[in-house]
Amino acid sequence: MLRWAGVADRKALWYGGFVGFLLQSPLELLDGRDPAYGASAYDLGANFLGSAGLIAQQLAWNEVRIMPKYSFRTTRYAALRPNVLGKSLPEQYLKDYNGHTYWLCADVAAWLPQESKWPKWLQPAVGYGAQQMVYNDPAANAALGLYDYRQYYLSFDINLMRIPTRSKFLKRVFYVASIFHLPAPALEYNSRRGFVVHGLYY
């Protein structure tokens, strides 16, 4: 939008790149004052790194080669605290972090020679999630027999924007859909069960 308004590319990159961080920070601070949610310096740090990562890639390559993505599945934890984790599916999609997995997917083809046989649509992906987060108070969680833990994933993803098509409509669809990690086999590691193989994870 800044470019359309006539702002120089470099300024548009810096201003636009940090708009997300500036808009999200007040929400994090408000969450920090709400006992039902809570916030931390890690939340603000992750938001900052998201904006900085976009700017750094545009400065280095003039494109995004390491794409952050998102996937969601329903969990049993939302029913334990529906007023916070969501009563309906759309609410859970936004609020139930137990069902969220965050991914970084690398566009390997962007670093390889044009004649490389690596499938241009195939990209490795690393993911991060967590489970048993019902209350932000460990004691309240423990009263339910829950102890939160982290999950790490290794998988692959399909880069929809690398699928050739002449359709402008499909290009737009692929562009928007590229924020989601598509279901794929995955290797998980967590401190509870060690390594876990998923035939299809999303």
Side-chain angles (χ1 to χ4, degrees), residues 2-183:
L2 289 167
R3 285 170 175 164
W4 292 341
V7 178
D9 279 0
R10 186 60 64 94
K11 286 185 178 180
L13 171 62
W14 283 99
Y15 296 159
F18 277 114
V19 162
F21 176 70
L22 294 175
L23 292 178
Q24 189 67 26
S25 293
L27 298 179
E28 299 290 4
L29 295 174
L30 289 171
D31 279 355
R33 299 174 64 86
D34 187 332
Y37 290 96
S40 70
Y42 292 109
D43 294 335
L44 288 170
N47 293 343
F48 175 82
L49 287 176
S51 291
L54 168 67
I55 292 171
Q57 292 188 74
Q58 289 290 344
L59 290 174
W61 306 305
N62 201 33
E63 63 180 353
V64 176
R65 296 185 179 184
I66 302 174
M67 172 72 79
K69 296 192 177 187
Y70 164 85
S71 62
F72 171 77
R73 66 192 185 287
T74 56
T75 74
R76 65 183 180 89
Y77 304 110
L80 300 175
R81 203 180 181 200
N83 59 316
V84 172
L85 300 182
K87 298 176 183 177
S88 64
L89 183 60
E91 285 185 351
Q92 293 171 25
Y93 185 84
L94 293 173
K95 297 180 178 181
D96 185 7
Y97 293 129
N98 299 286
H100 294 187
T101 306
Y102 305 98
W103 302 87
L104 287 176
C105 304
D107 185 5
V108 173
W111 282 284
L112 297 176
Q114 190 67 28
E115 62 273 13
S116 170
K117 296 190 182 297
W118 176 272
K120 290 182 170 54
W121 49 267
L122 183 64
Q123 48 188 13
V126 293
Y128 173 79
Q131 288 289 298
Q132 300 192 8
M133 299 183 297
V134 176
Y135 291 92
N136 60 0
D137 175 21
N141 256 354
L144 295 175
L146 302 175
Y147 301 90
D148 57 73
Y149 63 95
R150 296 179 174 89
Q151 299 162 295
Y152 304 92
Y153 299 92
L154 182 62
S155 183
F156 64 84
D157 191 68
I158 295 174
N159 186 347
L160 295 174
M161 293 186 291
R162 288 281 192 177
I163 296 176
T165 177
R166 294 181 180 179
S167 168
K168 291 183 178 180
F169 173 76
L170 280 180
K171 286 181 179 179
R172 291 192 181 112
V173 170
F174 289 164
Y175 178 79
V176 173
S178 288
I179 66 173
F180 302 106
H181 172 74
L182 300 178

